[in-house]
Structures are given as structure tokens and as C-alpha cells.
Amino acid sequence: MKEYQTAQIRNIALVSHNGAGKTTFVERLLFDTGATTRMGSVQTGSAAMDFEEEEIARNSSVNTAIAPIEWGAHKLNILDTPGYADFVGEVNVALRVSDGAVIFVEAVAGVEVGTELVARYVEERQLPRILVINKMDRENVRVERAMASVRAALEGNFVNLQLPIGEGTDFQGVVDLLTMRAYIQGKAADIPANLADAAEEGRMALIEAAAEGDDALIEKYLEGEELTQGEVVRGLRAAMAQGLVVPVCYAAPQPGIAVKPLVDALVQLFPSPDATTGFTATVDGEEKTLPIADSTPLVAFVFKTREDAYGKMSYLRVLGGVLESDSRVWHVNADTEVRVGTLNVIRGKEQLPVTRLHAGDLGMVVKLGDVGTNDSLAMRGQQILLPPTEQPEPIASVAIHPVAQSDVAKLSASLNRLVAEDPTLHWHAETATRETILSGMGVAHLDIAVKKMQSKFGVNLTTTTPKIPYRETITRSASAEYTHKKQTGGAGQYARVFLRLESLDDDADFEFASEIFGGAISAPFVAATEKGCRQALDNGPLGGFPVVGVKAIVYDGKEHTVDSKEIAFQIAGREGFKKAAMAADPVLLEPIYEIEVTVPADNMGDIMGDLNSRRARVLGMDQVGTKSVVRAEVPLAEVQTYAADMRSMTQGRGVFGMRFLRYGRVPSHLQQQIVEHRRRELEQED
């Protein structure tokens, strides 16, 4: 691939609900530009963009794939994103390194759930966008119906950039309102007579939208002067950048109808990287906004990591300067130097080596040391740090269990590699339940992650619903005495301790104090008693859960000049702690999460009723456009399956996020059930 300057580059993300035809559109571009010799198909598993094992099996994208498209004198870095909500992390990654977005709407289905979600992400990032009514050649297509769903579900001033010539099986092409030419079956032609009036009307609406983007143009327009073609394009670019207009196009990529005028529009209306507002970075400790240009000091952002048979591949975007193959750069996050081997541009899984990448371009490097996702690269001595891509907190979890001993040995390292590839995945070892927990954005997300562990990293796993990591605490002060004696014929063991437990805040750490006066217990044995108390924290008196919010005070005791040893006082401290804890009215604590649910207003009643049945405490409700938003505190035990349940209640139109808030006390009527169930579990384990 030849070298492209910053002004020639366009970075464009394709977003939509699953099945709207994004991947097919990219396959058509690859075929039409000669990058592939035959057009790939999602259904047959031959698509260049869907190359992962799970993508082929599911006939659906699960990762963001990149296709550099050479179009005349320009290079379009097309980022094909997944359409399923579980893979929203991949969408965020693509939008982070894009300068514009194309929202695909399936012509028959109209705006679907996933499209609403990703369109909101595009708006939040304030990216210019174009909307495409796609698959116009399908039966039962009605353009008016599709546009009605767009205006009902999405925010924006939607103005036709093109008019469709026919619809459904009669779709033949489009009228381009910028050039006022028709494109029928891939060939330029005069505008059909039956569309002449509509084209004139559409052209005037487009010019009016363009004029609103620039003060000088609106003055010229209001004075009755005609805008030139260049001024219309300039005005549309400005209006799109300000969010004042969303141009609408029409296409049928499978048969290749109206694809060329659509791509021409992408080149004309989306900004090159150097025409954007630049990027924000922390430079020597101070936040600054820098232009995306070759003249800016070298800085690159690693936005994605992937592993295959060749090793770790780091996908990056050059934001400043020129990055050269076979060079050395500074890994800002680790404050170390790393070597850049061969630079590549990526077409699906195909690697195309290049000599250099100019500012604004996307590329990939294999085996870039310990550089990970969200890391920054710069020249030695330049501390330019880029902020990480913001990702949502996980909303679903599974407990994973290695199948064989060989899997246990590889588990931790493989999980770290998995999370490095996908930052929306998290894992941790839960000490309270002795389980390894993998968390992600939904059931499908976790299912694919577990399968990837097997196919990529050779770790076989089974999964279960995670146990709730309860904790225990006490509700009042209590004292206990414990004497440990052991005689084995020789030197024995002897320790006697008097302990008092006091209740602290439920989220407080353990505290230990000594009120020993007069040397009843010597200092080393006091320390041993504390060690024994800390050992007892791991297994509470109710159900063997960790103990928190307790202060232990040793206030008296007795030692033997010969038989007293540190191990004896450890045992006495541990057993004395348990005895005192049982007398201090212990209670269970459960994790409480804050949950924010966004649903259509019609579903609000069902959501509120369901939350009340889950022991939720509603914190507040808001109305945002046509959506209702409710915030509530809810115990984790009640929302482990909420991702699937909420989608079922809202027909997939609801979304939610959750984050850990604190631990709260379990109601007394539930505590006994939990304790009895826990004891049965421990008996079975024994």
C-alpha cells in the first residue's frame, strides 16, 4: 500500500444493530477496489472482516475489524464494528480513533435496539455522522416507513443527501443531490423525469442545511446568492461537525447498487484528521490540546491488542509526528524504550507492511514489548500521555473452573492475556467464595471469552453462576476466654487469653489492641494472639465468610514459663475470637450495587415493579428524551441474571449499568436461609 499524507486520510467507524449490513458493505468496497478477488460473504464465513473462529461460527462480527480502502487519491480506514450490545467495548474503541461515523439502518427493520445504543455513543463523542438506509433491494422496503422509524428513535436533523430511485426489488440507484446526477446500476445518468421536482426540492433543503453551518454562507444564502458546489460541501462539513445536520444516503451493497456515490460522499463530507479539533493529552503534567499533524511531536495511542499465532499485535493510531518502521520510541506509561519492528496496515487479518505512518493514520506492530491497550508512545524525553478509552463497568459474571491440573497452571496468565485483548472483561479471585470470577457485558460476551480461552490459549474451563461473596460482622461487644493446653510427654503447649470484640463500621478494616498491664502476657505472645485473631477473620462464625468491621482487644491472659509458645497463643487467639464473635450477635453483609436502567417510557412501570421485587431502593428517576432513567441500590444476589431479564422485559430496548457501592446487612428472614445453605455446601466440600 502506498504512503498517504494526513490530509488524504479518513477514519470512519461503521455502527449499527447486528445484521444491518456493515460487513457486507466493507466486503463490497474491498472487491470493487481490487483488494480482494471475490466478494466475501458473512453467511458462508468467507468475509475478510469476520475472520475470528467465533465470528465465522456465529455469522456475525464480535470484534472491530479494519479495512484500509484506497479510493482515488484518498485512503479510508473503515472500522467495521460489532452490532450486538454485548460487544459495546469494541464500538467504543472504534469511535475513539475515528473522525466520523456511518450509522446503518436496515431498510425493512428500521431502527433497531443496537442502532439506538450506538447512535447515542456517536452523539456523546460529538462525531459527524451520515445515516445510510441499507439493503434497499430487499422485498417489502418502504423508504417512508424506514425514515419514520429514524425520526422517532434517533436524535438529529436528517436531510437527504441522495434520493432513492425505486425501492425494494425495484431499487436501481440514487440521485446525488450534491452533483445533481443520477447513478443507476453503477453508471452516471440524467435525473429521471419523475424525480426532477423532488430532486430540486431536496437540493434546496440540502443547501439550506449547508448554509446553517457557516455564518458567511448563511448571509450569502439569505441575500439570495447561489452557493457554489465547494461552498455547499464546506457548509455541510461544518454543519455535520456541529451536529446541526445528518445527511441520509441509500445503498444496496450486496448487488453493488449506489455504493460509489456513498463512498464519494464519505470522502467529501468527513474531515481528514488534520481538519479536526485535535487531541487532548497530558504533556509534562499539564493537559493540552494538540493538532493532529506531522509537525506535532511524535505520539501514538495503542487502542487495541490482539493475539494470534504470530504473537501480540498492537493496533495504534499515530496522532502526532511520523512513525517509522524499525525505529525506537518511548513507552510513556512504563517509562521505558521499546523497539518498533515492521509497521503494518491491517485488512481484516491480512498484514500489509508499510515504511511509515503519518499523523492520523492507523497501523499495527507485532511484538511491541510490554506495551498494552490504552498505552502511549512518544519520543524519548517527551512525556505525552493520552487518556484511556472509557469503557462501561461489567454487568454479568460467571465463575470459571479449570477442567484439569494443566489448566490450573495456565489460568492466571491466560486470563491476563484475555483481558489485555478486551478491556471490558475483568477477572478476580474471590476469597470469600474461593472462586475465580470473570465479568463482562453479557452472557454472549462471556460465552465467547470462555471459548477463546480454549481455542487461543488452550485452557479448558467450565462455568457456573458465581456464589455471592457475603461477609460477616458483629452487632455488639462481647468477651470470651480461651485456654489452649496440649501435653505430649515432653514440652507442651499452653496459652490463656481474654478477648473483647467491639463493633466498628460495617466497611471498616480489622483493628487489634492490647490492654495488657503488668506483663500477664509478654509482647511476643500478644503479637501471636493478634496473628491468631487475623487467621479467624477468614472464616466467620455464621457461614465461614470473611469477617469485617471488628476490633479485637486482648485485656488479660496467662502464660507458662516452659510450655507457652507463639503457636499456642495463635491457637488461643483464633479460638477465642470465634467464641467471642458467636456471642456478639453476628450478622451477614451482602454486596450492594448502584444500578442505572435506561428504558423506553412505556416500560417504566414494568421495570419499577421488577426492581421492587428485587429488594431495590430507588434513588431517583429522570426523563431523557423518549427514555426513562431510574437509579436504584440493589443487592447483587438479586441482579445476577438481570442482563437477560431486563432485555426480555423491554424487548431488548433497555440498557443498564451497575457499579459496586458498599456492603449492607442481610435482612434477618433471609440470613438463616443463606447460613443453612452455606453449611450444607461446606459439608459437601468436606
Side-chain angles (χ1 to χ4, degrees):
M1 181 167 287
K2 66 181 184 181
E3 188 174 326
Y4 288 88
Q5 303 294 321
T6 304
Q8 299 173 292
I9 297 167
R10 305 287 186 273
N11 296 310
I12 303 167
L14 311 184
V15 298
S16 78
H17 187 82
N18 196 46
K22 303 182 298 295
T23 302
T24 301
F25 172 70
V26 180
E27 296 297 324
R28 168 55 65 181
L29 294 185
L30 291 172
F31 178 69
D32 285 356
T33 57
T36 56
T37 55
R38 65 186 181 91
M39 185 171 161
S41 167
V42 175
Q43 285 69 35
T44 62
S46 60
M49 294 293 100
D50 288 349
F51 55 86
E52 294 275 10
E53 187 177 312
E54 279 301 312
E55 293 177 315
I56 295 171
R58 292 171 178 262
N59 299 129
S60 177
S61 301
V62 299
N63 293 296
T64 290
I66 304 174
I69 303 296
E70 297 183 277
W71 196 262
H74 295 85
K75 174 187 176 186
L76 284 70
N77 288 317
I78 304 292
L79 293 99
D80 178 22
T81 68
Y84 194 56
D86 280 19
F87 308 107
V88 65
E90 293 288 321
V91 177
N92 286 331
V93 163
L95 295 178
R96 170 65 188 271
V97 296
S98 297
D99 303 313
V102 181
I103 302 171
F104 280 76
V105 173
E106 211 271 356
V108 175
V111 176
E112 296 174 90
V113 182
T115 309
E116 292 183 44
L117 182 64
V118 295
R120 195 153 59 240
Y121 292 148
V122 174
E123 290 167 25
E124 288 171 0
R125 291 189 176 275
Q126 299 181 335
L127 290 176
R129 54 200 186 275
I130 287 175
L131 187 129
V132 175
I133 306 296
N134 202 32
K135 299 186 178 181
M136 281 290 295
D137 59 327
R138 286 192 61 191
E139 293 183 3
N140 301 318
V141 169
R142 296 292 180 269
V143 171
E144 287 186 11
R145 183 176 61 199
M147 285 306 301
S149 77
V150 167
R151 293 191 172 94
L154 304 180
E155 297 289 331
N157 175 28
F158 299 97
V159 176
N160 275 328
L161 185 67
Q162 301 169 348
L163 294 179
I165 301 175
E167 56 186 16
T169 53
D170 295 329
F171 182 61
Q172 301 175 54
V174 294
V175 174
D176 188 330
L177 298 178
L178 269 179
T179 61
M180 290 302 283
R181 293 284 289 165
Y183 293 88
I184 301 173
Q185 299 293 345
K187 296 181 179 180
D190 293 333
I191 298 173
N194 63 324
L195 289 176
D197 291 343
E200 285 297 331
E201 185 179 335
R203 170 77 175 179
M204 291 305 298
L206 191 67
I207 291 173
E208 185 176 330
E212 290 182 6
D214 188 297
D215 290 342
L217 293 182
I218 201 165
E219 284 183 23
K220 186 175 180 180
Y221 174 75
L222 292 174
E223 289 172 2
E225 295 184 51
E226 189 172 334
L227 302 186
T228 66
Q229 184 76 358
E231 288 174 333
V232 173
V233 171
R234 191 183 84 214
L236 277 176
R237 274 190 179 181
M240 289 168 63
Q242 298 169 59
L244 299 176
V245 64
V246 181
V248 179
C249 299
Y250 304 84
Q254 187 67 47
I257 301 175
V259 172
K260 182 183 183 302
L262 171 56
V263 183
D264 287 340
L266 303 186
V267 172
Q268 283 187 291
L269 298 182
F270 280 132
S272 58
D274 56 352
T276 65
T277 56
F279 64 98
T280 301
T282 302
V283 183
D284 296 327
E286 182 182 349
E287 189 173 288
K288 294 183 178 180
T289 299
L290 304 173
I292 300 177
D294 288 357
S295 57
T296 299
L298 176 67
V299 57
F301 178 68
V302 178
F303 63 89
K304 180 179 172 66
T305 303
R306 191 170 71 83
E307 296 207 30
D308 68 359
Y310 300 101
K312 185 179 74 172
M313 298 189 293
S314 300
Y315 291 63
L316 50 83
R317 185 185 188 192
V318 181
L319 292 164
V322 179
L323 185 62
E324 303 270 355
S325 282
D326 195 20
S327 61
R328 293 191 175 275
V329 296
W330 196 251
H331 181 194
V332 180
N333 304 74
D335 207 25
T336 58
E337 189 177 66
V338 293
R339 179 181 176 275
V340 175
T342 302
L343 282 173
N344 299 274
V345 293
I346 291 291
R347 181 186 294 145
K349 67 177 179 180
E350 186 182 1
Q351 301 177 20
L352 308 172
V354 293
T355 304
R356 63 183 61 85
L357 291 173
H358 290 269
D361 212 347
L362 307 182
M364 184 276 290
V365 181
V366 179
K367 298 178 181 178
L368 195 57
D370 60 351
V371 175
T373 302
N374 290 325
D375 284 354
S376 304
L377 304 176
M379 294 302 293
R380 177 186 277 274
Q382 294 178 333
Q383 292 295 313
I384 306 176
L385 191 64
L386 298 159
T389 302
E390 292 185 10
Q391 296 286 14
E393 291 293 318
I395 60 174
S397 299
V398 291
I400 55 176
H401 311 280
V403 173
Q405 190 61 38
S406 59
D407 299 316
V408 175
K410 295 184 287 185
L411 182 62
S412 179
S414 298
L415 283 170
N416 287 332
R417 293 169 68 188
L418 184 72
V419 171
E421 280 197 12
D422 186 350
T424 55
L425 288 170
H426 296 247
W427 78 274
H428 70 280
E430 181 53 67
T431 55
T433 58
R434 296 190 287 277
E435 290 181 322
T436 300
I437 307 299
L438 181 64
S439 303
M441 301 310 301
V443 176
H445 188 209
L446 293 171
D447 180 49
I448 287 176
V450 170
K451 289 180 178 177
K452 189 182 289 186
M453 287 281 285
Q454 180 175 0
S455 61
K456 274 196 172 185
F457 308 133
V459 182
N460 296 305
L461 303 170
T462 59
T463 63
T464 58
T465 301
K467 299 172 185 176
I468 302 300
Y470 294 105
R471 293 180 178 177
E472 300 182 23
T473 192
I474 60 175
T475 56
R476 67 180 184 88
S477 298
S479 299
E481 175 273 335
Y482 190 86
T483 302
H484 174 68
K485 291 181 182 179
K486 186 177 182 182
Q487 197 69 37
T488 57
Q493 294 181 6
Y494 178 83
R496 188 181 188 191
V497 296
F498 290 81
L499 283 173
R500 182 174 71 252
L501 299 188
E502 296 178 356
S503 177
L504 303 175
D505 292 340
D506 289 348
D507 58 351
D509 292 330
F510 172 72
E511 295 181 14
F512 182 85
S514 171
E515 295 178 356
I516 298 294
F517 295 102
I521 304 176
S522 56
F525 294 152
V526 171
T529 303
E530 179 182 356
K531 189 174 182 180
C533 290
R534 291 189 179 276
Q535 290 172 355
L537 295 175
D538 294 336
N539 294 283
L542 284 176
F545 297 106
V547 178
V548 295
V550 174
K551 181 176 183 178
I553 302 163
V554 57
Y555 61 91
D556 201 359
K558 189 176 181 181
E559 62 183 65
H560 189 275
T561 54
V562 176
D563 291 345
S564 287
K565 300 177 178 64
E566 289 188 11
I567 186 63
F569 276 91
Q570 280 186 37
I571 295 170
R574 183 179 69 234
E575 299 304 320
F577 185 97
K578 291 179 181 178
K579 190 175 178 181
M582 279 304 294
D585 294 342
V587 294
L588 284 184
L589 302 174
E590 62 181 346
I592 306 294
Y593 278 70
E594 182 178 341
I595 187 171
E596 184 175 285
V597 187
T598 303
V599 296
D602 295 344
N603 296 117
M604 193 54 158
D606 295 336
I607 292 296
M608 291 297 295
D610 181 69
L611 286 175
N612 287 332
S613 72
R614 297 175 187 267
R615 298 193 282 131
R617 184 170 74 89
V618 176
L619 302 175
M621 292 180 286
D622 295 301
Q623 193 75 21
V624 181
T626 60
K627 304 289 185 182
S628 293
V629 181
V630 58
R631 291 186 304 109
E633 293 179 3
V634 61
L636 176 62
E638 303 290 345
V639 289
Q640 283 191 295
T641 61
Y642 193 66
D645 296 343
M646 190 269 295
R647 284 173 184 167
S648 175
M649 280 187 290
T650 62
Q651 292 78 50
R653 292 195 170 273
V655 295
F656 79 101
M658 56 190 284
R659 65 179 183 87
F660 174 73
L661 199 59
R662 66 176 189 280
Y663 268 81
R665 297 189 179 185
V666 175
S668 56
H669 69 282
L670 295 176
Q671 178 170 299
Q672 190 58 35
Q673 299 175 23
I674 295 167
V675 169
E676 289 176 0
H677 180 70
R678 173 67 167 175
R679 285 174 179 167
R680 286 196 298 270
E681 282 184 343
L682 294 175
E683 288 172 4
Q684 290 173 358
E685 289 178 8
D686 290 341

